[in-house]
Amino acid sequence: MLTIKQILNNKDEIIRRLAIKHFDASEAIERVIALDEARRGAQQKRDESLREQNMIAKSIGQLMKEGKADEAQNMRQKVSDLKAQSKNLEEEMTKAENDIKKILLSIPNIPCAEVPEGNGAEDNVCVKTGGEIPNLGKEPKAHWELAKEYDLIDFELGVKITGAGFPVYKGYGARLQRALIDFFLDNAREAGFLEIQPPYVVNEDSGYGTGQLPDKEGQMYHMEQDNLYLIPTAEVPVTNIYRDVILEEKDLPIKNTAYSACFRREAGSYGKDVRGLNRLHQFDKVEIVCIDKPEHSYEQLKQMVDYVQGLVEKLELPWRILRLCGGDISFTSALTYDFEVYSAAQQRWLEVSSVSNFESYQANRLKCRYRSTEGVQLCHTLNGSALALPRIVAALLENNQTPEGIRIPKALVPYTRFEIIPHL
């Protein structure tokens, strides 16, 4: 959430930069400024009224000592009138503050200067590539065919138990899932991330804190009776650990990692591009979250991008990194890099990670601050997938299919404790 100070100091620049996200902020910004002026005006009148009440209260005692009871009574009535006025002014201030917050929640984060202009995914900028695309010969099998052939994942059984988008992993498929989770967590711990095991359900305040609410309310599973939400990513509970917290500068950066199941309604998703593991309602993911000082956050972002690159390289997957354009970057992000791996069977790129710097946008919602010699300031928050499993599994199965079976990357063998998934 933008701050009033940001808006007052950089109104025109904010409007210009939000246009890169295809968001016309001019009307909302002007409304915020007008409401803030009204709030400050009401506060000034309320403060003057309180001062006058205090002065009159002191004079009432003196009037009583002098035996001027009638004058004292008149002063009491005046104090009563001023208190009623103060109450009305406080209500005006509260309404203005609530209206400001409602508008601010509807304004996206400002994209940083590195975000390219563009309308959608086709305008994202490829900044780096690596790995080799395997030659699988004629008619390689897609992962949903391999999953059935090797009895790894049962999509139909998932439909029976729950519905589409809730697959059942079996045998070597379940073991591969568990191995990848351990592999990602161990790598994160070795890179200095503290492991967290968070709840999979969060309250409304947590959803607002990281920006899923109100922007993505329709994409979250909501339990109305308890007003709780299933998490779309471990980012939500882990980042909310620091909601309403003032950290010490010496403790920054804070680096956390967490495995969780993730739940997304993915309303309106259909077609060949969402077949199999390509898009699910429930999936596993290991997340990394960082809290840092503003002047260090973009160096922290670079380190996180380098870290995720190391993971896909260890898995021997062909990869590329995209800098998201204004039309594709998320509501809350200031700068995002997406990682994609290549599926040689589907002959297309699959997104497996987003690594983002939110600058102070989430921190202002969360009231996540740190204390320095210059006073209490907002932190910067960052997060990234490291990694999401479904499309990693899809690419691993497809790219490593051989006549003997499905080969396991060398770095993963200590976790799977098998080198190949054999034919049945």
Side-chain angles (χ1 to χ4, degrees):
M1 186 167 68
L2 303 184
T3 65
I4 298 292
K5 184 178 179 181
Q6 283 177 302
I7 289 172
L8 294 177
N9 291 344
N10 302 287
K11 180 187 78 170
D12 293 338
E13 178 66 6
I14 287 172
I15 292 171
R16 184 190 70 78
R17 287 169 63 184
L18 283 173
I20 295 172
K21 281 192 171 183
H22 303 277
F23 184 87
D24 184 356
S26 53
E27 183 177 342
I29 294 295
E30 293 296 343
R31 181 64 177 149
V32 167
I33 292 171
L35 284 167
D36 185 59
E37 288 178 354
R39 180 196 62 79
R40 286 187 284 112
Q43 183 174 1
Q44 183 178 0
K45 291 177 182 177
R46 193 275 314 265
D47 292 346
E48 290 172 356
S49 177
L50 290 175
R51 282 194 293 270
E52 189 173 357
Q53 289 174 51
N54 291 333
M55 290 173 61
I56 293 172
K58 291 177 182 178
S59 70
I60 289 173
Q62 185 61 36
L63 289 170
M64 292 299 293
K65 287 180 183 179
E66 296 173 359
K68 299 177 180 179
D70 290 343
E71 291 185 37
Q73 183 57 36
N74 290 337
M75 290 296 102
R76 287 193 184 95
Q77 182 58 49
K78 188 169 184 179
V79 168
S80 179
D81 293 341
L82 287 169
K83 283 182 177 179
Q85 181 190 57
S86 295
K87 183 180 178 181
N88 290 335
L89 290 167
E90 285 173 1
E91 289 174 353
E92 285 182 32
M93 289 167 55
T94 300
K95 185 179 185 307
E97 288 167 358
N98 290 337
D99 289 346
I100 288 170
K101 184 177 180 181
K102 186 176 180 180
I103 296 171
L104 290 179
L105 286 171
S106 73
I107 301 175
N109 195 5
I110 306 166
C112 88
E114 294 182 48
V115 174
E117 295 189 18
N119 295 317
E122 66 280 1
D123 297 317
N124 293 335
V125 177
C126 183
V127 296
K128 202 173 184 182
T129 62
E132 295 184 7
I133 295 174
N135 182 1
L136 300 180
K138 295 182 179 179
E139 298 183 0
K141 295 178 180 177
H143 69 270
W144 51 86
E145 298 171 303
L146 295 168
K148 188 171 184 179
E149 179 181 335
Y150 286 82
D151 198 23
L152 305 174
I153 308 166
D154 196 324
F155 295 101
E156 293 178 3
L157 186 56
V159 172
K160 171 188 173 182
I161 297 169
T162 309
F166 295 88
V168 175
Y169 298 86
K170 303 163 62 179
Y172 282 99
R175 292 169 65 184
L176 179 59
Q177 286 279 115
R178 179 159 47 88
L180 282 165
I181 292 165
D182 286 345
F183 172 72
F184 293 146
L185 286 174
D186 280 357
N187 273 267
R189 287 196 302 271
E190 290 167 9
F193 292 87
L194 174 69
E195 185 176 349
I196 302 290
Q197 188 172 13
Y200 291 179
V201 180
V202 294
N203 57 30
E204 195 171 66
D205 286 343
S206 293
Y208 276 97
T210 44
Q212 277 70 32
L213 297 176
D215 181 51
K216 291 183 173 63
E217 185 168 9
Q219 294 297 324
M220 296 174 73
Y221 285 100
H222 182 213
M223 292 165 279
E224 292 186 10
Q225 185 172 350
D226 302 301
N227 195 27
L228 296 173
Y229 295 83
L230 288 174
I231 63 170
T233 165
E235 167 205 351
V236 181
V238 173
T239 310
N240 270 279
I241 292 171
Y242 307 99
R243 174 159 45 93
D244 297 321
V245 171
I246 298 178
L247 302 162
E248 297 300 328
E249 184 176 17
K250 63 181 177 60
D251 295 328
L252 298 176
I254 288 173
K255 300 170 65 176
N256 293 154
T257 186
Y259 156 74
S260 78
C262 303
F263 304 89
R264 299 182 185 180
R265 294 186 63 244
E266 299 289 5
S269 296
Y270 58 89
K272 66 180 179 65
D273 289 345
V274 300
R275 189 172 179 183
L277 296 173
N278 288 341
R279 193 174 298 277
L280 301 174
H281 295 304
Q282 177 184 321
F283 61 94
D284 294 317
K285 180 153 69 85
V286 172
E287 192 81 357
I288 51 176
V289 171
C290 290
I291 313 291
D292 210 340
K293 296 189 293 186
E295 61 266 31
H296 292 166
S297 69
Y298 277 94
E299 175 57 31
Q300 188 67 249
L301 179 66
K302 180 182 182 302
Q303 292 176 18
M304 293 168 70
V305 169
D306 291 345
Y307 170 72
V308 175
Q309 177 183 322
L311 291 179
V312 292
E313 287 177 336
K314 288 178 181 179
L315 293 175
E316 304 171 29
L317 292 169
W319 54 271
R320 69 180 184 181
I321 304 173
L322 306 175
R323 185 188 301 125
L324 298 195
C325 71
D328 202 31
I329 195 171
S330 76
F331 185 90
T332 52
S333 177
L335 179 63
T336 294
Y337 290 98
D338 270 7
F339 277 79
E340 296 181 337
V341 296
Y342 192 75
S343 160
Q346 298 180 61
Q347 297 185 345
R348 68 189 190 95
W349 292 95
L350 306 174
E351 181 197 333
V352 295
S353 174
S354 286
V355 185
S356 302
N357 188 349
F358 304 100
E359 296 188 359
S360 63
Y361 190 85
Q362 284 184 334
N364 189 36
R365 287 172 173 244
L366 295 158
K367 298 297 177 281
C368 172
R369 295 157 290 175
Y370 74 100
R371 185 180 289 106
S372 71
T373 54
E374 298 176 0
V376 176
Q377 304 178 57
L378 288 171
C379 298
H380 277 194
T381 65
L382 308 92
N383 82 272
S385 312
L387 289 159
L389 269 67
R391 294 172 191 160
I392 288 289
V393 170
L396 286 175
L397 295 178
E398 293 171 354
N399 291 1
N400 293 297
Q401 55 185 296
T402 73
E404 294 75 32
I406 300 171
R407 184 183 65 84
I408 300 299
K410 185 177 179 180
L412 203 54
V413 170
Y415 294 88
T416 59
R417 295 192 287 277
F418 54 83
E419 297 181 0
I420 197 165
I421 300 175
H423 291 285
L424 293 177

